[in-house]
Amino acid sequence: MTQSPAPQTVESAAAPVQHQAVTFPEGLALDCGAVIAPVTVAYRTYGQLDAARGNAVLICHALTGDQYVAEPHPITGKPGWWEAVVGPGKPVDTDRFFVICANVLGGCMGSTGPREMMTDAGGQTRPWGTDFPSITIRDMVRAQKLLVSHLGIPRLLAVIGGSMGGMQVLEWAATFPEMVFAAAPIATATHHSAQNIAFHEVGRAAIHSDPDWKGGRYWEDGRIPARGLSVARMVAHITYLSEQALSRKFGRRLRGASALTFLEDVFEVESYLRHQGSTFVRRFDANSYLTITRAMDYFDMAAEHGGNLAAAFRGTGTRFFVASFDSDWLFPTAESRILVRALNAAAANVSFVEIASDKGHDAFLLDEPDFHAALGGFLRGAAERAGL
Amino acid sequence: MTQSPAPQTVESAAAPVQHQAVTFPEGLALDCGAVIAPVTVAYRTYGQLDAARGNAVLICHALTGDQYVAEPHPITGKPGWWEAVVGPGKPVDTDRFFVICANVLGGCMGSTGPREMMTDAGGQTRPWGTDFPSITIRDMVRAQKLLVSHLGIPRLLAVIGGSMGGMQVLEWAATFPEMVFAAAPIATATHHSAQNIAFHEVGRAAIHSDPDWKGGRYWEDGRIPARGLSVARMVAHITYLSEQALSRKFGRRLRGASALTFLEDVFEVESYLRHQGSTFVRRFDANSYLTITRAMDYFDMAAEHGGNLAAAFRGTGTRFFVASFDSDWLFPTAESRILVRALNAAAANVSFVEIASDKGHDAFLLDEPDFHAALGGFLRGAAERAGL
């Protein structure tokens, strides 16, 4: 067995990126009791808001997503994460709708989060780091509500998101029902499962184990806990793919000629995962990862409503579109069915589709024509009902 | 968010344990072309070998198992890992059968492996560490063959094992068919899947990322890469349990009173996983973990036989008992069916049972009466056919 390369120290990410953002001096009161003031929400918009301010669609991003939905990413230069879905003539048609996406509270792309600066009790200015308060999915939604009101939008035509984005969609519909005409929670669940919590805990343990994490104060010497964050990304990435997708992509194909050369990264899947881990650390912040995974783990809508999930949606006028993917084992169809049953119990207007795909959880981000047709149809129908 | 405890340096394991072992000066030629000489095989036996030397049953252990099948573990003091199955009056009845279990080649409980001493080209005596050659499941079986011949046993009544133990059972049947009267590969597969390789790669990356690993030379300053090995164990442990088992054991139960205290280890499942990780490092060696996971990843019986799995068993006289568990997602029933189809194509004598259990892959180690009844029945039938 050859040795792997010695662990490398990785310097902090490239020069800071300037993000479009709005700061609210009054701040935000959190579920944990703390108040963050001021609070900043970074965001991007696509398309034009109509005169009646009625064509706004809010996109909510997933754990490691950000507000760069439909344009090149300012750090990686890669296409926007949902260009398959959002753009001119796409299912979320920016020729017709005014699309907004905000970086989540606790994120690392300009919204207030562990990487942003704060002034501590002693008057010193430094990053929040692990002093950033614990937040919930509902806190993320409250921050987005500040932005939407700031933009002068009384009601969103639709709130759409997959995975953790879908959790935000559900909190929008439960917390501000009068502001949500239509809601599309995709590849998500009403609570985070024990297995999902466990996988997150592995990622957090990997970050905590990296000496460069330094108890969260890694900014002090300009390093980042790249090894720990990379391992966290690797394990998460496996859960985003189905066994079928991994097998089709890589099978047991070897990088070299023979199985018995016994080199590092002898399987293509290993090389791919290591690449995933190492590119991720360039754009994401380890303390943000800790903060946001915790928010997902705490998510439990039934518990928030006295153990009665249907109570979260009682009397709702929102139109729901629920979608799952049959090879998604991180947020399996069974969890969407729990949501649909609760919506039915609340007499909500709900349509549900399980999409046949062998791509696993990641399918919601990929080229899935049936899913795109269903989502586009739902949104056009909602626009018609809204009189657009 | 509170900080987790600072990463701790862990000193090397407790005083070395003396294992029962036999050393073969002639050594062992490996699949990779290297020769390990001398080679030592540590083992335990239970029960009495009969006068005809016909009642021997070989148990093959899994990735992190060892030879202490049916007696307290010499390091942890816990019961043997298969006391539910092996012992007086148990399915593998030690009142009737002579049970042998060897620590696998590459292991860390007395058989030749990365933690054992070698003499290098310069005449210096030091642990093998990462200079230990890459090995295969077949190499493990060849080492066991040396032991079985040393014990004077011409033919094993049965070879039994689960998970990686099942891989060894299959290699025994394919490589030394005349020595295997009956074979019981349990919760296993004929090749390691892309997903399983990927999970192993996460564990190896976690070990490689731990500065205390020191490129594999951690023995030099008496430390062990406890943080990396612990993370590796955590992720593996999730794959051993079903979502149902995790949910039943822990659900989303909180350790404290409120979800919003936001302490470390707020969910019971996290505390459990951290405990699993930290106890594991006391008994297992990181370089052994790297070596053995690689051996599993290389396992591909069809590839070893020109792409024809049935060819591995052509003309076999061995009686097979194949068992899977319906909630096992690491070695799912579909993979046992691939084996059964190949055995059928080879006109082998094979029985197959899928056990209903919600315990996941770990079910093969646990109290599963239907499984125990089926395995015990198969073994009694084999003994009768063998004229015992």
Side-chain angles (χ1 to χ4, degrees):
Chain A
M1 186 186 305
T2 58
Q3 289 180 198
S4 79
Q8 290 182 321
T9 294
V10 176
E11 303 302 320
S12 289
V17 175
Q18 200 64 37
H19 302 286
Q20 177 183 6
V22 55
T23 295
F24 302 93
E26 71 275 25
L28 192 69
L30 304 176
D31 273 333
C32 70
V35 175
I36 299 180
V39 69
T40 296
V41 180
Y43 68 102
R44 295 293 295 163
T45 66
Y46 310 90
Q48 299 295 324
L49 187 60
D50 64 17
R53 299 175 180 271
N55 70 333
V57 172
L58 179 71
I59 307 281
C60 301
H61 70 71
L63 168 57
T64 63
D66 52 44
Q67 65 270 41
Y68 297 96
V69 177
E71 63 191 304
H73 193 275
I75 295 175
T76 66
K78 291 184 184 173
W81 60 268
W82 225 12
E83 293 204 6
V85 167
V86 180
K90 301 281 177 67
V92 180
D93 188 349
T94 52
D95 286 339
R96 189 167 178 201
F97 304 119
F98 177 64
V99 172
I100 311 161
C101 185
N103 186 217
V104 295
L105 181 72
C108 51
M109 290 295 279
S111 289
T112 302
R115 189 154 70 184
E116 295 300 308
M117 304 303 280
M118 54 89 87
T119 303
D120 67 17
Q124 195 195 346
T125 298
R126 59 171 176 81
W128 277 96
T130 50
D131 291 329
F132 190 77
S134 288
I135 58 171
T136 63
I137 300 293
R138 194 157 51 181
D139 292 330
M140 296 176 181
V141 165
R142 291 186 181 114
Q144 292 163 15
K145 162 76 159 46
L146 292 176
L147 172 67
V148 171
S149 297
H150 166 81
L151 295 173
I153 295 164
R155 189 184 72 176
L156 294 159
L157 173 64
V159 185
I160 303 174
S163 196
M164 187 184 82
M167 294 176 173
Q168 294 163 64
V169 172
L170 295 175
E171 284 289 5
W172 262 103
T175 311
F176 306 110
E178 74 290 347
M179 290 188 66
V180 183
F181 185 76
I186 298 155
T188 194
T190 59
H191 69 279
H192 218 213
S193 72
Q195 190 176 69
N196 289 5
I197 293 171
F199 278 120
H200 273 175
E201 176 60 14
V202 170
R204 290 190 291 260
I207 292 169
H208 291 155
S209 293
D210 187 335
D212 285 339
W213 182 61
K214 287 188 62 182
R217 300 178 70 86
Y218 44 88
W219 68 85
E220 287 178 343
D221 51 9
R223 293 182 185 177
I224 57 175
R227 292 164 294 186
L229 187 56
S230 175
V231 169
R233 177 62 167 178
M234 286 171 68
V235 66
H237 199 78
I238 300 173
T239 68
Y240 301 154
L241 301 178
S242 65
E243 162 64 22
Q244 301 98 301
L246 267 171
S247 290
R248 189 182 52 243
K249 260 181 161 164
F250 310 105
R252 293 179 44 87
R253 284 200 306 277
L254 303 169
R255 295 182 72 216
S258 158
L260 296 180
T261 52
F262 296 108
L263 299 172
E264 286 296 315
D265 286 357
V266 70
F267 292 106
E268 286 186 3
V269 65
E270 300 180 0
S271 169
Y272 173 76
L273 284 176
R274 290 187 185 214
H275 175 75
Q276 283 289 329
S278 62
T279 58
F280 180 61
V281 303
R282 287 178 50 220
R283 68 174 179 88
F284 216 83
D285 176 63
N287 286 335
S288 268
Y289 198 83
L290 299 174
T291 295
I292 299 173
T293 55
R294 279 276 179 208
M296 290 181 74
D297 291 354
Y298 285 123
F299 185 65
D300 187 346
M301 292 201 80
E304 284 175 14
H305 295 85
N308 183 351
L309 185 58
F313 306 105
R314 190 85 66 208
T316 185
T318 301
R319 305 164 66 84
F320 287 88
F321 169 80
V322 179
S324 69
F325 298 87
D326 65 355
S327 63
D328 182 349
W329 58 278
L330 195 65
F331 290 93
T333 292
E335 301 200 347
S336 283
R337 288 194 202 283
I338 291 171
L339 168 61
V340 170
R341 280 197 292 271
L343 290 169
N344 284 335
N349 181 334
V350 53
S351 70
F352 169 51
V353 59
E354 183 188 39
I355 304 289
S357 162
D358 66 358
K359 293 172 188 160
H361 184 60
D362 260 4
F364 85 90
L365 297 168
L366 303 174
D367 181 30
E368 289 286 351
D370 287 353
F371 165 57
H372 296 173
L375 177 63
F378 170 74
L379 194 55
R380 284 191 300 276
E384 189 176 315
R385 286 288 179 149
L388 292 189
Chain B
M1 186 185 303
T2 58
Q3 289 180 200
S4 78
Q8 290 183 321
T9 294
V10 176
E11 304 301 322
S12 290
V17 175
Q18 200 64 38
H19 302 285
Q20 176 183 6
V22 54
T23 296
F24 303 93
E26 72 274 24
L28 192 69
L30 304 176
D31 274 333
C32 70
V35 175
I36 298 180
V39 68
T40 296
V41 180
Y43 67 102
R44 296 293 294 164
T45 65
Y46 308 90
Q48 299 295 325
L49 187 60
D50 65 17
R53 298 173 181 273
N55 70 333
V57 172
L58 179 71
I59 307 282
C60 301
H61 70 72
L63 168 55
T64 63
D66 52 44
Q67 66 271 40
Y68 296 96
V69 178
E71 63 192 302
H73 193 276
I75 295 176
T76 67
K78 289 183 183 172
W81 59 269
W82 226 11
E83 292 204 7
V85 168
V86 180
K90 302 279 176 70
V92 180
D93 188 349
T94 52
D95 286 340
R96 187 165 180 203
F97 305 118
F98 177 65
V99 172
I100 309 161
C101 185
N103 185 216
V104 294
L105 183 71
C108 50
M109 291 293 281
S111 289
T112 301
R115 189 153 72 184
E116 297 299 308
M117 304 303 281
M118 54 89 87
T119 303
D120 68 17
Q124 194 195 349
T125 298
R126 59 171 176 80
W128 277 96
T130 51
D131 291 329
F132 190 77
S134 288
I135 57 170
T136 63
I137 300 292
R138 194 160 50 185
D139 291 330
M140 295 175 183
V141 164
R142 290 185 182 114
Q144 291 163 14
K145 162 78 158 50
L146 292 177
L147 172 67
V148 170
S149 297
H150 166 80
L151 295 174
I153 296 164
R155 188 184 73 176
L156 293 159
L157 172 65
V159 185
I160 302 173
S163 196
M164 187 183 84
M167 294 176 173
Q168 295 164 62
V169 171
L170 295 175
E171 284 290 4
W172 261 103
T175 311
F176 305 110
E178 74 290 348
M179 287 186 69
V180 183
F181 185 75
I186 297 155
T188 194
T190 60
H191 69 280
H192 218 212
S193 72
Q195 190 176 71
N196 289 4
I197 292 171
F199 279 120
H200 274 176
E201 177 61 13
V202 170
R204 289 190 293 260
I207 292 168
H208 291 154
S209 293
D210 187 335
D212 286 338
W213 183 60
K214 287 188 63 183
R217 299 179 70 86
Y218 46 87
W219 69 84
E220 287 179 342
D221 49 10
R223 292 181 186 177
I224 58 175
R227 291 164 297 186
L229 187 57
S230 175
V231 170
R233 176 62 168 180
M234 286 171 68
V235 66
H237 199 79
I238 299 172
T239 68
Y240 301 155
L241 300 178
S242 64
E243 162 64 23
Q244 301 98 302
L246 267 172
S247 289
R248 191 182 51 242
K249 260 183 164 163
F250 311 106
R252 293 179 44 88
R253 282 200 308 278
L254 303 168
R255 295 183 71 217
S258 158
L260 296 179
T261 51
F262 296 107
L263 298 171
E264 287 295 317
D265 286 359
V266 70
F267 292 107
E268 287 185 4
V269 64
E270 301 180 0
S271 168
Y272 174 76
L273 284 175
R274 290 187 185 216
H275 174 74
Q276 284 288 329
S278 63
T279 57
F280 180 60
V281 302
R282 288 177 52 219
R283 69 175 179 86
F284 215 83
D285 176 63
N287 285 334
S288 268
Y289 198 82
L290 299 173
T291 296
I292 299 174
T293 55
R294 279 276 180 210
M296 290 182 74
D297 291 354
Y298 285 122
F299 184 65
D300 187 345
M301 290 202 83
E304 284 174 15
H305 295 86
N308 182 352
L309 185 59
F313 306 106
R314 190 83 68 209
T316 184
T318 300
R319 306 165 66 83
F320 288 87
F321 168 81
V322 178
S324 69
F325 298 88
D326 64 357
S327 62
D328 182 349
W329 57 278
L330 195 65
F331 290 93
T333 292
E335 301 199 347
S336 282
R337 288 194 201 284
I338 292 171
L339 168 62
V340 170
R341 281 196 294 270
L343 289 168
N344 284 334
N349 180 336
V350 54
S351 69
F352 170 50
V353 59
E354 183 189 40
I355 304 289
S357 163
D358 66 358
K359 293 174 188 158
H361 185 60
D362 260 2
F364 86 87
L365 297 168
L366 302 175
D367 181 30
E368 289 285 354
D370 287 354
F371 166 57
H372 295 173
L375 176 63
F378 169 73
L379 195 55
R380 284 191 300 275
E384 189 177 317
R385 286 288 180 148
L388 292 190

